[in-house]
Amino acid sequence: MSSELPRTLKQYRHAVRAHELSAEEYLDETRQLIERGDPQVKAFLHLRLDAARSDAQAADPSSPLAGAPIAVKDNIMMAGERCTCGSRILEHYVAPYSATAVRSLLAAGAVVPGKTNLDEFAMGSSTENSAFFPTHNPTDLTRVPGGSSGGSTAAVAAGFALGAIGSDTGGSVRQPAAFCGVVGFKPTYGLVSRYGLVAFGSSLDCIGPIARSVRDAAIMMNVMAAHDPKDATSVKRPHVDFEAALQPTLAGKRVGIIRELQGLDVQPEIAAAMETARKAAVKSGASIVDVRVPHILSALPAYYIIAPAECSANLGRFDGVRYGLHVDGRDMTETYSRTRNAGFGTEVKRRILIGAFVLSAGYYDAYYKKASSVRQLITDELDAALQSADVLLTPTTPTTAFRLGAVTDALEMYKADVFTIPANLAGVPAISFPAGKDAAGLPIGLQLMGPRWSDAELLSSANVFFTALGGES
């Protein structure tokens, strides 16, 4: 076995196929890293390392993933494993089937070392809303990893897995990827099956890969992107080889800068990273174009009406009768109330209440209907902007990772999603990639958005930026 372990899926796959390393050997080394490091990072809610080793022994070295450890966010089901969604209400729930994305990864030779921590029901931007414990950022254990997929991004950043999958409803793959210094990709809505993902906002949720390089995200997308008849929102598309589509330059590409986002207050190092990325784009043969998305700043308030409305409907099924936590009451109504009060945390309760309010008689037109109209307006404006540009470049977050416990105001926390939410509202693909570090050594992430179904082209453009800014192709 090589003295230096592969850091990327690409390196790992090469080493396994060249018989320099076996899947079992790599998993044994990974296990040691997890056992030493995860008590501090707390990326995982549940580990299955013995089962993963058995899977690694059986893995085919010629398969697409060849026994690579891929972590799974704990709101994505895996048959026979607990699926808590980071909530007391599902603390002991065991999934009866696997999500299509998980089945695809397993069929391609992935092994799953464990299920990762998250903000409860994927509602949060720091993973501090987990009912069990907060996850810590591997770069600085006093900082948050972002959220809601903070456990998955922390696992990849810490070397506990070569890749991971998370869910992205308003930036929950991309924002923690930026905070942890890894790549996070949100595909076009409908490209990756949502079957087996516990729903938060059904018109917004996407499953996406988290990896150490853009190429690794492309490798994972080759496995996960497929039509699924079990998901009514899954769209049948021509097969694309995402890895083979990666190009070495941005020659002829138009990189759009959104005028309305220029006035937002971002950390100075992030603004500097944007300027560095612009120069790298021009050096690689791209042109920089100014584009307008006039109502993009309305995306944040529209999202925080639409997402809670969908959440309040989706979480109505957790009633203490069919599955999950049950707390007895004097009658059915009291049983519902006691169960949900004991089982749900503060942020989930807040969003359920907001959602129930905006959907209620007398307020539906004033709030939900208006927010839906704004969503369509922003979608149309983004589509128009992406006629003038091939990709749109923005920061992923306004700041780098903040300290655990530092942001206690919900509205301040919501503002962390200002750059990521528009892609979910419009259903377009978006990716966060590392773009250096700030003065404190904390990772900076930048984001690219592309037209609907341009996922392969977007990954290719992101790979050029990623490598130009110091990443490995």
Side-chain angles (χ1 to χ4, degrees):
M1 182 176 70
S2 170
S3 59
E4 185 174 333
L5 285 176
R7 284 188 45 79
T8 66
L9 267 174
K10 176 190 172 184
Q11 292 171 356
Y12 167 85
R13 206 168 53 173
H14 173 79
V16 169
R17 290 174 181 173
H19 305 291
E20 298 168 0
L21 176 71
S22 72
E24 308 99 272
E25 288 172 330
Y26 188 85
L27 193 70
D28 288 343
E29 294 290 336
T30 300
R31 181 177 195 146
Q32 290 182 35
L33 287 175
I34 292 170
E35 290 174 346
R36 287 198 306 266
D38 201 47
Q40 291 76 46
V41 176
K42 299 183 183 298
F44 290 99
L45 283 174
H46 333 290
L47 288 165
R48 53 183 308 277
L49 294 170
D50 291 336
R53 195 176 196 282
S54 296
D55 294 340
Q57 287 175 327
D60 179 358
S62 65
S63 62
L65 298 177
I70 304 293
V72 175
K73 186 177 179 179
D74 204 33
N75 63 341
I76 302 171
M77 294 208 279
M78 183 175 182
E81 302 294 335
R82 281 196 290 164
C83 188
T84 69
C85 294
S87 178
R88 294 290 179 191
I89 208 162
L90 288 177
E91 185 172 1
H92 303 294
Y93 178 71
V94 176
Y97 64 92
S98 290
T100 298
V102 171
R103 285 193 290 106
S104 297
L105 289 167
L106 294 174
V111 301
V112 177
K115 303 291 293 297
T116 57
N117 198 20
L118 68 155
D119 288 297
E120 186 178 9
F121 283 99
M123 298 179 199
S125 301
S126 67
T127 315
E128 294 172 294
N129 290 335
S130 170
F132 304 108
F133 46 76
T135 296
H136 298 247
N137 192 316
T139 303
D140 179 345
L141 294 174
T142 69
R143 307 274 176 162
V144 301
S148 63
S149 304
S152 287
T153 53
V156 174
F160 302 157
L162 282 168
I165 55 172
S167 62
D168 191 311
T169 307
S172 287
V173 162
R174 291 161 287 147
Q175 184 256 18
F179 277 10
C180 288
V182 296
V183 171
F185 180 53
K186 183 206 88 70
T188 299
Y189 184 83
L191 185 62
V192 174
S193 173
R194 295 187 301 115
Y195 181 75
L197 169 66
V198 178
F200 161 17
S202 299
S203 74
L204 302 159
D205 296 339
C206 294
I207 292 176
I210 296 156
R212 291 192 193 139
S213 73
V214 176
R215 182 176 294 274
D216 285 0
I219 291 169
M220 292 176 68
M221 281 299 295
N222 274 348
V223 171
M224 297 194 298
H227 177 250
D228 180 14
K230 293 179 179 177
D231 175 7
T233 61
S234 176
V235 178
K236 191 175 289 186
R237 300 286 300 173
H239 172 73
V240 175
D241 187 328
F242 293 92
E243 186 182 9
L246 299 178
Q247 299 297 315
T249 73
L250 293 172
K253 295 287 186 183
R254 299 163 299 167
V255 177
I257 306 295
I258 300 173
R259 188 185 304 176
E260 288 76 14
L261 298 181
Q262 296 308 291
L264 291 184
D265 185 25
V266 299
Q267 195 171 311
E269 293 100 326
I270 295 176
M274 279 286 291
E275 184 58 32
T276 301
R278 289 179 196 174
K279 291 177 181 177
V282 172
K283 187 176 180 180
S284 187
S287 58
I288 305 297
V289 297
D290 177 70
V291 299
R292 297 209 61 198
V293 185
H295 293 88
I296 196 166
L297 295 180
S298 297
L300 193 70
Y303 173 88
Y304 279 104
I305 291 171
I306 293 167
E310 295 188 10
C311 135
S312 71
N314 280 322
L315 270 60
R317 70 195 68 178
F318 302 108
D319 54 15
V321 175
R322 286 166 281 194
Y323 41 76
L325 181 70
H326 174 89
V327 180
D328 278 327
R330 288 169 297 182
D331 54 28
M332 189 64 73
T333 300
E334 188 173 273
T335 294
Y336 287 165
S337 178
R338 286 186 174 183
T339 297
R340 289 165 70 84
N341 188 54
F344 289 141
T346 300
E347 182 61 26
V348 172
K349 290 174 183 175
R350 178 185 291 117
R351 298 200 195 192
I352 289 171
L353 288 170
I354 292 170
F357 174 78
V358 300
L359 291 175
S360 61
Y363 296 100
Y364 178 92
D365 286 354
Y367 291 98
Y368 185 76
K369 188 175 180 181
K370 185 173 290 186
S372 297
S373 297
V374 170
R375 178 184 189 174
Q376 186 59 56
L377 183 62
I378 292 168
T379 299
D380 292 343
E381 289 175 354
L382 272 174
D383 288 346
L386 287 163
Q387 292 290 318
S388 303
D390 298 296
V391 294
L392 303 177
L393 176 67
T394 75
T396 307
T397 58
T399 68
T400 53
F402 46 86
R403 292 192 184 277
L404 286 153
V407 180
T408 56
D409 180 80
L411 291 177
E412 286 301 311
M413 189 73 79
Y414 295 166
K415 290 177 184 177
D417 301 329
V418 65
F419 295 113
T420 55
I421 278 172
N424 296 86
L425 291 179
V428 299
I431 186 169
S432 177
F433 55 90
K437 295 186 177 182
D438 70 4
L442 298 170
I444 292 168
L446 297 182
Q447 175 182 244
L448 287 180
M449 291 183 278
R452 218 166 282 106
W453 311 118
S454 71
D455 300 67
E457 293 84 356
L458 184 65
L459 283 162
S460 181
S461 296
N463 192 50
V464 176
F465 278 100
F466 176 68
T467 53
L469 298 175
E472 182 178 334
S473 176

